[in-house]
């Protein structure tokens, strides 16, 4: 039954996602003919903030594309983050639903950030893509 469930977020393998991003970035440095009009950076929701035996479901860990260390997370602190998912029923003319959040601070030394969302994200959002907005 879970296979037919359209509400399940599409999963992305994190290593494959970032290897592809590095490849695209290296290819893009050769020549940049068209200007990018994308107003967000791709990201992957890694899971909840947790300790060894407990987890804080009100805080999510998010890996942002192209961010590899703590110093580069500073630019994203305070930015809005968007998690989109597909629902079974149409609402306001769309099957897509959104949950907005905010990047709070960095987490660790490898460029992961902590984010808080308006509503806690469901467990099926782990490994799902998200968007970090680059404006205000």
């Amino acid at each position: 039954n879970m296979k037919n469930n359209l509400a399940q977020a599409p999963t992305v393998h994190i290593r494959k996602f970032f290897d592809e991003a590095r490849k695209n970035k290296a290819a893009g440095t050769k020549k940049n003919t068209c200007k990018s009009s994308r107003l967000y950076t791709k990201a992957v929701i890694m899971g909840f903030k947790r300790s060894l035996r407990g987890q804080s479901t009100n805080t999510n860990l998010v890996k942002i594309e192209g961010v590899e260390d703590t110093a580069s997370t500073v630019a994203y602190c305070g930015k809005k983050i968007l998690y989109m998912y597909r629902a079974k029923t149409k609402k306001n003319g769309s099957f897509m639903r959104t949950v907005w959040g905010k990047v709070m601070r960095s987490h660790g030394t490898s460029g992961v950030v902590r984010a808080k969302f308006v509503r806690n994200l469901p467990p099926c959002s782990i490994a799902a893509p998200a968007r970090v907005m680059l404006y205000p």
Side-chain angles (χ1 to χ4, degrees):
N1 191 14
M2 285 299 286
K3 289 179 184 174
N4 298 334
N5 188 358
L6 292 176
Q8 192 84 10
T11 57
V12 179
H13 192 278
I14 293 174
R15 182 175 288 145
K16 184 180 172 187
F17 176 79
F18 287 109
D19 285 343
E20 193 177 300
R22 282 190 202 97
K23 208 180 293 177
N24 291 344
K25 192 174 181 184
T29 54
K30 293 172 189 168
K31 59 176 185 175
N32 194 0
T33 54
C34 65
K35 266 193 168 177
S36 176
S37 59
R38 196 174 71 195
L39 295 175
Y40 63 89
T41 304
K42 292 179 181 179
V44 174
I45 295 164
M46 294 174 59
F48 301 113
K49 186 183 89 152
R50 60 173 298 136
S51 61
L52 187 62
R53 289 176 189 85
Q55 66 182 12
S56 307
T57 53
N58 59 345
T59 307
N60 292 86
L61 302 180
V62 178
K63 179 72 175 142
I64 302 171
E65 180 183 86
V67 179
E68 301 296 331
D69 58 344
T70 311
S72 27
T73 61
V74 175
Y76 293 97
C77 285
K79 300 287 184 198
K80 295 284 183 188
I81 186 166
L82 171 70
Y83 167 66
M84 288 177 68
Y85 62 97
R86 189 174 289 110
K88 282 184 176 178
T89 57
K90 196 179 267 194
K91 222 182 225 187
N92 299 329
S94 175
F95 286 101
M96 301 306 285
R97 309 266 169 87
T98 59
V99 182
W100 286 90
K102 188 194 277 190
V103 176
M104 304 308 279
R105 54 172 289 183
S106 66
H107 178 87
T109 56
S110 60
V112 177
V113 295
R114 295 182 196 177
K116 288 195 176 215
F117 288 82
V118 175
R119 294 187 309 281
N120 292 352
L121 293 185
C124 68
S125 70
I126 295 172
R131 298 174 176 186
V132 179
M133 299 300 165
L134 298 175
Y135 51 89

